Amino acid sequence: MTATPWSARFEAGLHPTVAAFNASIGFDIELLEYDLSGSAAHARMLAHSGILSEAEAEALVGGLEQIRSEWRAGQFRPGLEQEDVHYAVERRLVELVGEVGKKLHTARSRNDQVGTDLRLWLRDCIDRIVGRLGAFQRTLLDLAASHVETLIPGYTHLQRAQPVSLAHHLLAYIEMGERDIERLTQIRERVNVCPLGSGALAGTVLPIDRHYTAQLLGFVALSENSLDAVSDRDYVVEFLAAASLIAVHLSRLSEEIILWASQEFRFLTLTDRCATGSSLMPQKKNPDVPELVRGKTGRIFGHLMGMLTVLKGLPLAYNKDLQEDKEGIFDAARSVESSLEAMTILLAEGIVFQPDRLAGAVEEDFSNATDAADYLVRKGVPFREAYGVIGAVVRHCLKSNALLRDLPIAQWRHFHPAFDDDLYAAITPRTVVAARNSYGGTGFEQVRAALGRAEARWQGHFPSAAAH
Ligand code: ARG
């Protein structure tokens, strides 16, 4: 029978299957380094508050650092019988430093401990993901800067609508990434609150100094209510929601890259470094990277729904259901990180836009129809009337298999007397894109200004990277 910390209270040992079912060590080992840091801060606080002697705290901190070295050297690999990372550390600590190890858990519960560990872990995780978003944004910015005057069809309903600057299209994703960075930064503030010292649910009778522990761990605030502190997982939900939106953004970009790489669009080609072949069809080149990124949204959304469901209807305060918070958040974080990393590489060296195809695409349709109507508007024709005139022109062209630019001026005049020779210059793809010069629009001047603003924001977010 494996001894548990509660063996004294119990007569029989835990059923081995139940022990395995109950254990979280298989996944919460990911929290190990945070558990060690949290425990070291706790031990220091206990001495600072006169609850332990300085010598005792030194012994505890020394033992905890020893476990850290063992872990990093691959020598500390606790098994299922350890139940969770917190017990595993405590048991090893007693082995290493003897009786004094049993004092570490003074004025603490695993309930406030696990919340502390998870918040410390998430804080680092957010910083890593923001860094990955920064690299992703950097690549998009550079790509956009080189395509200000490259034209691409703009779509609504996946029907050609109006041509746009390719940089403008890419800048749309930069805006999404900007909101992702802002969201994570805001969530980080609510993550950065210390629950340690809340005890199991009600606080402690010992004269602890919660401010001191929080300060040692770099938390900027203390949780205000011990019941809430040990049962709050709002920050997990918030992070999963933010991760889901990042996944949505990456998935939409993936979908476009997949479409653009298809034979039907051929707006870009995939390089050999970022595409895969088929085991059967020799001619194939497949966009596995964006497909996988698009596919990973499934598990990330799933973890968000899973966590909301775990929390719904839980009575205060800690319930073991909360142990189910970890695998989902770990997996979501890994999925988002790896997706961002792969997408960044794909954008940097996996895709090559096809200028000829793009130039051809914006020539061969009626996406300048609005501009022909606007031409009449500038000549004083009411928009609704102009719209009707161009509608009739388009219908005529479709019947005679012609484009707007193919129609001789005499025919245009037949539809409306206000048309003149300057019409043709007004409806070339370049002119129509350049002319959309309203703030936030696709006109080249606006796109250059937007790029400048996005660049400044990026420098603001990542000043040290910007200095390089
Ligand atoms: N392994 C547990 C978890 O992940 C730690 C907290 C256990 N607390 C308890 N009262 N059983 O949530």
Side-chain angles (χ1 to χ4, degrees), residues 24 28 84 86 110-111 114 318 323 326:
S24 53
D28 66 14
D84 64 22
H86 323 295
R110 281 184 300 159
N111 298 349
V114 72
Y318 179 85
Q323 180 166 290
K326 289 171 206 60

Side-chain angles (χ1 to χ4, degrees), residues 194-256:
C194 187
L196 200 59
S198 300
L201 75 164
T204 173
V205 296
L206 295 166
I208 60 170
D209 182 347
R210 291 192 57 207
H211 293 276
Y212 189 74
T213 330
Q215 190 194 322
L216 289 179
L217 292 171
F219 285 116
V220 296
L222 296 185
S223 56
E224 291 290 326
N225 177 290
S226 60
L227 292 167
D228 177 51
V230 296
S231 60
D232 171 28
R233 294 293 184 274
D234 289 3
Y235 57 96
V236 175
V237 171
E238 286 192 64
F239 171 77
L240 290 170
S244 295
L245 276 173
I246 297 173
V248 166
H249 299 154
L250 293 179
S251 181
R252 295 181 75 171
L253 177 57
S254 295
E255 172 64 16
E256 298 209 297

Side-chain angles (χ1 to χ4, degrees), residues 1-5 7 13-14 19 81-82 91:
M1 179 177 137
T2 319
T4 55
S7 293
L14 203 52
E81 70 291 349
Q82 306 281 339
R91 189 162 305 150

